[in-house]
Amino acid sequence: MASDPQRGQRGQRGTNGSSGGGASDQTGAEDRKPQSDEAHSAFTPPLGVPYPPLPEDEHPTSEFALPAGLRPETPAEQEGSAFSQPSSTTGQTPLPAPVGATAMSAFTPPHGIPAVSLTKEAPWQDRMRTMLRMPVHERPVPERPERGDEDTGPAVPRVLDLTLRIGEILLAGGEGAEDVEAAMFGVAHAYGLERVEPTVTFTLLSISYQPSLVDDPVTASRTVRRRGVDYTRLSAVFRLVDDIASEGITLEEAYRGLAEIRRNRHPYPSWALTVASGLLSGAASMLVGGELLVFLAAALGSMLGDRLAWLASGRGLPEFYQFVVAAMPPAAVGVAFGLAHANVQASAVITGGLFALIPGRALVAGVHDGLTGYYITAAARLLEVGYLIVGIVVGVLSVLYIGLQLNPGLRRLNPEEALGAYNEPVVQIAASMLLALAFCVLLQQERHTVAFATLNGGVAWVVYGALHYVAEINPVPATAIGAGLVGLFGQLLSRYRYASALPYVTAAIGPLLPGSATYFGLLNFAQGHLPEGLTSLVQAASLALAIAVGVNLGAEVARLFLRAPGVEEAGLRRAAKRTRGF
């Protein structure tokens, strides 16, 4: 058997030392000697010999090294590592650090890498919409709320119920499907539900939560049966969602806030809504050339129609019949002035009444849902708009038909009266702002939003008038550009106030609604001129779509150039990508 040469040298050294140095020298030699052959390296200097200095031009650099002057992050609890230097308690001298290196610090902190967090300074709509468009495995992990000593996880049934109730108020108030889903996802994500998927259709809200890949999902749904316009309540819900997503209020506080929102009464009484309906129609008649008497007649007809619609609603009639009875009084007042041969533009009276009835809010919401990819909801909204417009057509045509049967030569109802040629900038700007103001009251907006929406409506009409009357541009692109500015300013104001954009947009598009084109089409149908009537109705539909597309495009331009801070790479606002139809 071969012998170890080092073991033989150690045996000789021990024998020689036993006669002169005694047992103590042998013990000291044993302490100084290496424990095993692994302690020897050709690149490691012997113990006690310092590292040689490195040349000035060969200092090691690293892209992960901290710059000079910055202190590394101090971990909450120091943990051991197999790659850390030996501690001084072992009796060995620690190896000196290389020149140019800082204190011992790891690139990954000992307490772990923090979860990806989209900045809370950005509006919650942007953050939640961004995460909704991410794949599930790329979404940031929600922060788990503190629940005491026992970590039982989030109260899943109560969180899902709160989420559905908030989504119900938003959808019933006219909010777009994308923003409703973003709000529902924000609430669930804020309370720690990681794998959650909300789904919004026209009348059905559902949300599904799967704790893990091996657990059964929990699904809840809620049906929206009644719709009401109250932008004050809508703004309050937006503030509640912002408190949940950004401030981290508890589940009990969120339920109390939601109950308080439901208990709040409308800011304007019913008589104020009736007066606002009359002011809206009167201001719309002034946009097309009406005078003071026309203003009063249009206001009277619209207020009568509003009261009849309230009566029909109280009797439980569907909304279609409510629009039928609401469209009849303005048309009847216009026909009465025409039959009396008074020096009044009866066509301006009827046109003003139509402005208060055209469902511009539902049209904008439907087109917005279609452009953002919610095709089922968009189709349902547009079908609703179609039924309401048919109701208006039935109400107006029935009255016009009776008037034409009584006097076929009603000249005051003819489209040849110069509605489109009327051009009085000061009067029209004032009328457009009054129309937007009355629209704000009808929408039950908060008082601090009324001034902004009124000014936005005036800007929309100024842009439209400058393009159509001065530059002589076709009314369809002029309307689209004016509506685009309305959407852009509304989105900017909503970002500034962390609120919904609807209060700043819906009332402002009122002056751009195609009331005169709709009236001309209905009158031609009543007179039996089908080609002319169809042409006018196609133009009205084109103007309505131009309004909806312009509003959506303005909002998308604001989102495109005003990205949320901190999400430039990980949180790009992704959308569906389709090429050549497949």
Side-chain angles (χ1 to χ4, degrees):
M1 180 176 182
S3 61
D4 189 351
Q6 294 184 1
R7 184 176 301 175
Q9 293 177 2
R10 287 197 297 266
Q12 294 179 0
R13 189 178 302 172
T15 306
N16 296 335
S18 60
S19 59
S24 62
D25 293 342
Q26 184 177 3
T27 305
E30 291 292 337
D31 291 340
R32 290 192 301 270
K33 68 184 178 181
Q35 300 299 324
S36 66
D37 295 339
E38 297 177 358
H40 294 279
S41 174
F43 304 98
T44 304
L47 294 177
V49 179
Y51 281 91
L54 294 176
E56 293 294 334
D57 57 347
E58 294 185 7
H59 283 215
T61 58
S62 173
E63 59 180 309
F64 304 110
L66 291 175
L70 291 182
R71 300 180 61 184
E73 181 183 5
T74 303
E77 181 180 358
Q78 187 66 30
E79 297 181 0
S81 172
F83 303 100
S84 60
Q85 291 185 353
S87 111
S88 57
T89 57
T90 57
Q92 297 182 355
T93 304
L95 298 177
V99 177
T102 57
M104 288 295 295
S105 63
F107 177 67
T108 302
H111 46 81
I113 300 177
V116 179
S117 176
L118 300 177
T119 57
K120 293 186 177 182
E121 291 78 11
W124 64 264
Q125 300 99 308
D126 291 337
R127 294 186 278 118
M128 297 304 116
R129 190 182 295 110
T130 297
M131 285 191 282
L132 269 177
R133 298 195 175 197
M134 288 182 179
V136 178
H137 63 278
E138 295 181 7
R139 291 176 183 172
V141 180
E143 298 178 1
R144 297 289 181 178
E146 297 295 334
R147 300 186 57 85
D149 296 332
E150 297 182 0
D151 187 10
T152 58
V156 175
R158 297 194 67 197
V159 172
L160 296 183
D161 177 71
L162 176 67
T163 303
L164 290 174
R165 291 179 183 272
I166 289 177
E168 178 190 10
I169 296 179
L170 294 177
L171 187 62
E175 194 65 57
E178 184 181 28
D179 289 327
V180 175
E181 281 196 3
M184 294 174 64
F185 181 80
V187 173
H189 191 271
Y191 289 116
L193 302 189
E194 182 177 351
R195 296 177 177 272
V196 63
E197 288 293 341
T199 303
V200 175
T201 57
F202 184 60
T203 58
L204 181 64
L205 298 166
S206 63
I207 186 169
S208 177
Y209 168 65
Q210 188 174 13
S212 65
L213 295 176
V214 297
D215 293 329
D216 296 332
V218 180
T219 304
S221 62
R222 196 173 184 88
T223 303
V224 178
R225 302 190 182 277
R226 296 188 59 185
R227 298 178 182 272
V229 181
D230 188 347
Y231 282 2
T232 298
R233 179 176 295 180
L234 193 70
S235 301
V237 174
F238 263 69
R239 288 192 295 269
L240 177 62
V241 176
D242 181 64
D243 292 339
I244 294 173
S246 301
E247 303 298 331
I249 64 175
T250 63
L251 195 61
E252 288 72 19
E253 293 173 343
Y255 264 108
R256 284 196 295 267
L258 185 62
E260 184 177 356
I261 292 173
R262 288 182 175 274
R263 285 195 301 266
N264 287 343
R265 302 185 64 182
H266 300 305
Y268 306 105
S270 59
W271 64 264
L273 301 181
T274 302
V275 173
S277 177
L279 291 177
L280 191 154
S281 296
S285 67
M286 294 181 66
L287 284 178
V288 293
E291 299 177 352
L292 179 60
L293 187 57
V294 174
F295 178 91
L296 295 176
L300 176 62
S302 182
M303 287 190 290
L304 288 177
D306 182 77
R307 287 293 90 189
L308 286 178
W310 277 101
L311 181 62
S313 175
R315 294 296 184 270
L317 291 179
E319 200 170 12
F320 173 84
Y321 299 104
Q322 298 176 27
F323 271 76
V324 171
V325 298
M328 296 177 71
V333 172
V335 170
F337 275 106
L339 291 175
H341 297 283
N343 191 18
V344 176
Q345 293 180 348
S347 55
V349 176
I350 301 176
T351 301
L354 290 177
F355 267 82
L357 297 176
I358 296 176
R361 173 180 57 88
L363 176 65
V364 171
V367 175
H368 173 76
D369 289 341
L371 294 177
T372 52
Y374 295 85
Y375 301 114
I376 297 178
T377 307
R381 288 186 189 271
L382 294 178
L383 184 61
E384 178 193 31
V385 171
Y387 271 103
L388 298 182
I389 291 178
V390 170
I392 297 173
V393 169
V394 171
V396 175
L397 275 182
S398 56
V399 175
L400 289 179
Y401 181 78
I402 295 174
L404 291 175
Q405 292 297 320
L406 294 176
N407 187 358
L410 286 177
R411 297 181 55 85
R412 289 292 176 179
L413 296 179
N414 290 334
E416 285 77 9
E417 295 188 18
L419 295 183
Y422 180 75
N423 184 14
E424 290 292 336
V426 177
V427 176
Q428 290 178 314
I429 292 174
S432 65
M433 296 180 68
L434 179 60
L435 191 153
L437 175 62
F439 217 151
C440 291
V441 177
L442 288 175
L443 295 174
Q444 301 278 4
Q445 293 189 194
E446 293 179 308
R447 289 177 173 84
H448 67 84
T449 65
V450 172
F452 293 104
T454 302
L455 292 176
N456 207 6
V459 170
W461 182 260
V462 167
V463 173
Y464 170 78
L467 294 175
H468 179 54
Y469 295 110
V470 179
E472 298 182 353
I473 297 177
N474 187 278
V476 174
T479 302
I481 295 174
L485 289 178
V486 168
L488 177 61
F489 293 155
Q491 190 66 225
L492 294 177
L493 289 171
S494 69
R495 284 169 174 266
Y496 175 72
R497 292 187 174 272
Y498 285 59
S500 172
L502 289 182
Y504 305 103
V505 171
T506 306
I509 65 174
L512 302 177
L513 293 176
S516 58
T518 305
Y519 164 68
F520 289 161
L522 298 182
L523 182 60
N524 283 314
F525 279 143
Q527 292 176 339
H529 304 154
L530 297 182
E532 293 81 358
L534 184 60
T535 301
S536 297
L537 289 183
V538 169
Q539 183 182 9
S542 301
L543 292 173
L545 291 177
I547 293 173
V549 174
V551 169
N552 179 263
L553 183 60
E556 294 299 326
V557 168
R559 295 171 183 171
L560 179 64
F561 291 101
L562 297 177
R563 294 180 180 176
V567 297
E568 285 80 3
E569 295 188 8
L572 291 176
R573 187 173 178 269
R574 302 178 181 177
K577 182 180 180 181
R578 186 174 292 132
T579 305
R580 291 190 295 277
F582 56 84

